[in-house]
């Protein structure tokens, strides 16, 4: 019997949002999340300029907030970058690191992602470390090799204690924003592989939350979240619609109850 872990559902807004729309969305999510049981945690990762808005609308409620990237540096002449400590000053709890869009468009290496995870931890943020293979890599049987190497790069950099404070998100690149989610079994298989890899670092590391991301929607969330090694989701497109996002959070509740 798999160990029962709390569920975590985090929205990744990517580069979407405007002040007026955000207000409506954040208020609706905050209000809806009040009805969720304690063993389902909810967060939203917003574009940096909207951190103060997220803080002022979410503070005191049960929805945490965070950013979608942090700099690998703590401070200095790095035009355009945002340090983890800056995000922490606005109450952020999470920092996504190593999202496939960052790896692909900004050529972030495994080493860079590892340093970013470390910077996030130093600032008191929980890094959500994304790993995932492309369609080509899956079709040539390299999924485990790719996601294993991406995870190893981070685990190699962090102490055992720090490794136990991360969240890992498996996001197959071919499923992101395509409407074509991995099947629950495909996702579970990779999650079980990642779980075993985490276990090599220690018992506390084995039980870090493992999220699935890639075209999660209200219709497929419960089946995905019911898998023994899927502890919740990282939600892109569907996190921009309050009803869909809250339905996905409710699916996490249902999946927990059904286990
Ligand atoms: P999606 O994105 O839910 O829109 O597929 C997920 C992500 O990229 O985090």
């Amino acid at each position: 019997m798999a160990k029962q872990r709390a569920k975590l559902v985090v929205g990744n807004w990517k580069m979407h949002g405007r002040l007026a729309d955000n207000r409506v969305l954040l208020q609706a999510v905050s209000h809806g999340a009040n009805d969720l049981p304690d063993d389902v945690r909810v967060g939203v990762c917003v574009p940096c300029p909207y951190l103060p808005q997220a803080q002022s609308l979410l503070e005191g409620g049960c929805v945490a907030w965070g950013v979608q990237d942090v700099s690998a540096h703590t401070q200095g002449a790095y035009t355009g970058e945002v340090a983890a400590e800056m995000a922490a000053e606005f109450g952020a709890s999470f920092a996504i690191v190593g999202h496939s869009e960052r790896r692909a468009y900004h050529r972030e290496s495994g080493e860079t992602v590892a340093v970013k995870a470390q910077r996030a931890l130093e600032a008191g943020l929980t890094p959500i470390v994304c790993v995932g293979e492309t369609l080509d890599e899956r079709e040539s049987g390299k999924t485990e090799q790719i996601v294993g190497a991406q995870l190893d790069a981070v685990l190699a950099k962090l102490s055992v204690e720090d490794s136990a404070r991360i969240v890992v998100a498996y996001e197959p690149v071919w499923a992101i924003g395509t409407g074509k989610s991995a099947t629950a079994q495909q996702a579970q298989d990779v999650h079980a592989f990642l779980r075993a890899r985490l276990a090599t670092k220690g018992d506390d590391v084995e039980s870090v939350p493992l999220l699935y991301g890639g075209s999660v929607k209200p219709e497929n969330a419960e089946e995905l979240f019911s898998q023994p090694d899927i502890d919740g989701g990282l939600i892109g497109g569907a996190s921009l619609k309050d009803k869909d996002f809250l339905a996905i959070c409710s699916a996490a509740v249902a999946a927990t109850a059904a286990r």
Side-chain angles (χ1 to χ4, degrees):
M1 179 76 182
K3 200 153 130 195
Q4 182 77 277
R5 290 171 295 269
K7 296 284 187 210
L8 172 63
V9 179
V10 179
N12 172 14
W13 285 11
K14 309 195 180 187
M15 199 172 72
H16 291 287
R18 293 292 185 269
L19 284 171
D21 298 339
N22 300 347
R23 166 174 286 275
V24 176
L25 177 56
L26 289 168
Q27 283 175 332
V29 167
S30 177
H31 189 257
N34 276 333
D35 299 331
L36 298 170
D38 288 349
D39 59 354
V40 174
R41 293 189 296 144
V42 179
V44 287
C45 289
V46 302
C48 282
Y50 299 132
L51 272 179
Q53 186 187 28
Q55 182 176 33
S56 77
L57 292 173
L58 299 176
E59 198 146 54
C62 52
V63 177
W65 58 98
V67 289
Q68 302 164 15
D69 180 40
V70 288
S71 175
H73 307 280
T74 50
Q75 122 163 339
Y78 301 103
T79 301
E81 297 201 19
V82 174
E85 269 191 45
M86 297 173 180
E89 286 200 295
F90 291 91
S93 297
F94 295 107
I96 297 172
V97 296
H99 190 281
S100 62
E101 287 151 18
R102 304 278 329 162
R103 293 182 194 260
Y105 307 147
H106 301 271
R107 296 196 188 81
E108 288 188 10
S109 66
E111 166 71 16
T112 302
V113 173
V115 175
K116 288 184 172 198
Q118 197 167 40
R119 292 285 105 84
L121 287 161
E122 284 162 7
L125 307 183
T126 299
I128 301 176
V129 177
C130 299
V131 301
E133 82 289 2
T134 63
L135 190 57
D136 271 1
E137 288 161 349
R138 171 164 282 265
E139 286 176 345
S140 51
K142 292 197 188 126
T143 299
E144 293 189 352
Q145 185 189 323
I146 297 294
V147 301
Q150 289 171 339
L151 182 60
D152 284 351
V154 173
L155 296 181
K157 188 103 199 152
L158 302 182
S159 66
V160 174
E161 292 70 33
D162 278 350
S163 298
R165 292 167 56 211
I166 69 172
V167 169
V168 177
Y170 168 55
E171 297 208 311
V173 178
W174 47 272
I176 295 178
T178 59
K180 191 179 179 303
S181 163
T183 65
Q185 191 57 53
Q186 281 174 323
Q188 166 57 26
D189 289 348
V190 179
H191 279 233
F193 168 79
L194 292 169
R195 181 82 66 204
R197 201 77 159 211
L198 288 162
T200 62
K201 188 99 185 179
D203 289 350
D204 289 346
V205 186
E206 179 180 9
S207 53
V208 302
L210 261 178
L211 311 183
Y212 168 78
S215 297
V216 179
K217 9 181 202 256
E219 301 77 48
N220 61 14
E222 187 177 341
E223 194 190 356
L224 285 159
F225 298 166
S226 298
Q227 301 305 308
D229 288 300
I230 301 186
D231 304 320
L234 183 57
I235 318 300
S239 71
L240 300 171
K241 297 184 193 138
D242 59 307
K243 288 196 177 55
D244 284 1
F245 188 59
L246 288 167
I248 291 168
C249 296
S250 298
V253 178
T256 308
R259 266 196 197 176

